[in-house]
């Protein structure tokens, strides 16, 4: 998911109400992507923007609520306050956006959804007025009070501190920022230069991203001022996709050649499948376990005009062989299910949803898929193991375990752990070649 300019298509009060409800769903353990996917097209951009910012400023909002309300408010009022407080904080940071009185008025109006409304309205009005003054006073100080305004569970912070003693704070601060909009130009339709010219003609400024972690990229463009995808030239005819630059190196590292038989073992929603097909006309099986997510692969390939007889989208479990016809693959992309701890800037609900025990369980699932994938790779073939995680249990520990278990696995050069930075999310990459018999 990516941040777009806050479109004002829905009255702010309604957007605040829906956003507070979406936060309630996240707190009940639902993925925000699933919740947002159910909204109408005119609702989604503004609700997404409000909800992302509310989750990013969670710790600060909670501090204000505790400071100004002695007894914890009901959850629906708390979430509504978080959305409004994040708007103050965001305005403070950026110096633009909604006027303070508009935020207060609209948040009070949003209370009409709740009972007993008189109590909620009075409370929200009083608290937001106090918070707005406190935020203004804070902004006049030379340094913000808390460098990490976002919520990360204690076990998460402790793991990063242990594994990245110098970089951990910078990583968390980075992940609490709005993520930039990064595009991947479809090489089947345009060179990057051609598409950059099209953007320019449409009045959209872009910059090249030429490499990530030493891997050259010739498809990535950065838009510092994000725009809705509907404003991107030829988006609906497949000229371009939204994809983080750290994710774009996957297809480059796997290096597809025309006619290669490739398995994308964990493929939905198909971002990397599509990139591989943009680079070479290969024989592709895009495998996915989740039936609902499977549909998204077809949708993406349709838009990008990448369907052909050589591409099969298959529902199946990559840790089992039931779906496989026994024909070995030349190359396998294993973009494994993981904690997603590297892509928090684009999915700020992740720290609320993960539990510490998930990491070991995910490690076991990743190992089961790696084991099965290795059996399906031909001798001399290559397997790229990828996760969008910053926890070593899902990255380097897995590569070390795999090398120790498989004497026929030769480790080739790959970036290893990539930490979240301004232009890329956090990923882990390991590349293995299967030695001949
Ligand atoms: C990190 S996402 C893949 C993202 C995708 N490669 C892209 O670039 O758009 C991992 C995917 O693996 C799927 N998955 C999880 N376990 C699986 C399994 N055993 N076999 C196949 N797919 C699986 C998940 O449903 C999820 O869609």
């Amino acid at each position: 998911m990516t941040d777009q300019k806050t479109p004002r298509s829905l009255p702010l009060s309604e957007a605040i109400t829906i956003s507070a409800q979406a936060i309630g769903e996240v707190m009940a353990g639902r993925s925000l992507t699933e919740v947002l996917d159910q909204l109408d097209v005119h609702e989604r951009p503004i609700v997404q923007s409000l909800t992302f910012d509310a989750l990013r400023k969670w710790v600060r909002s909670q501090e204000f609520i505790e400071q100004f309300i002695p007894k914890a408010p009901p959850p629906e009022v708390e979430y509504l306050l978080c959305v409004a407080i994040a708007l103050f904080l965001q305005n403070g940071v950026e110096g633009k956006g909604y006027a303070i009185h508009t935020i207060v008025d609209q948040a009070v109006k949003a209370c009409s959804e709740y009972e007993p409304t008189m109590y909620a309205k009075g409370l929200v009005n009083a608290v937001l007025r106090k918070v707005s003054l406190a935020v203004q006073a804070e902004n006049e100080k030379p340094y913000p009070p808390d460098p990490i305004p976002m919520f990360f569970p204690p076990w998460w912070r402790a793991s990063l501190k242990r594994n990245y003693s110098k970089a951990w704070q910078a990583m968390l601060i980075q992940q609490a920022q709005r993520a930039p909009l990064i595009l991947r130009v479809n090489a089947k339709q345009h060179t990057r230069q051609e598409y950059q010219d099209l953007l320019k003609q449409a009045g959209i400024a872009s910059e090249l991203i030429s490499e990530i972690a030493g891997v050259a990229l010739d498809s990535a463009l950065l838009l510092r001022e994000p725009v809705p995808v509907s404003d991107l030239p030829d988006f609906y005819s497949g000229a371009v996709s939204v994809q983080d630059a750290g994710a774009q190196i996957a297809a480059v590292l796997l290096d597809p050649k025309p006619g290669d038989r490739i398995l994308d073992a964990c493929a939905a929603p198909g971002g990397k499948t599509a990139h591989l097909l943009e680079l070479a006309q290969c024989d592709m099986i895009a495998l996915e376990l989740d039936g609902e997510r499977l549909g998204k692969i077809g949708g993406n390939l349709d838009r990008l005009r990448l369907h052909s007889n050589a591409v099969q989208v298959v529902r199946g479990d990559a840790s089992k062989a039931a779906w496989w016809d026994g024909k070995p693959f030349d190359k396998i992309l294993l973009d494994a299910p993981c904690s997603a701890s590297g892509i928090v800037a684009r999915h700020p609900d992740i720290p609320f949803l993960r539990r510490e025990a998930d990491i070991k369980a995910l490690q076991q699932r990743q190992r089961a898929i790696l084991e099965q994938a290795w059996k399906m790779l031909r001798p001399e073939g290559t397997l790229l193991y990828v996760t969008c995680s910053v926890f070593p249990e899902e990255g380097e520990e897995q590569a070390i375990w795999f090398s120790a278990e498989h004497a026929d696995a030769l480790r080739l050069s790959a970036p290893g752990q990539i930490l979240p930075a301004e232009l890329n999310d956090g990923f882990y990459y390991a590349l293995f070649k299967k030695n001949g018999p």
Side-chain angles (χ1 to χ4, degrees), residues 14 21 69 104 128 177 198 219 238 252 254 275-276 320 341 378 387 425 432 437:
E14 281 176 44
Q21 287 163 347
I69 311 181
V104 178
L128 288 183
Q177 307 296 314
L198 287 179
S219 54
V252 178
L254 199 63
H275 193 191
L276 287 164
K320 309 230 157 58
S341 52
R378 72 160 168 82
T387 59
D425 286 336
F432 299 97

Side-chain angles (χ1 to χ4, degrees), residues 243 247 264-273 287-290 293 300 316-320 333 335-338 365 369 386-388:
Q243 189 182 41
D264 186 348
C266 297
K272 298 186 187 75
T273 315
L287 186 74
E288 170 59 45
L289 185 62
D290 182 321
R293 288 175 60 82
N300 271 322
D317 183 343
S319 67
K320 309 230 157 58
L333 172 63
D335 188 10
C338 73
R365 283 177 72 188
I369 300 175
V386 187
T387 59
C388 51

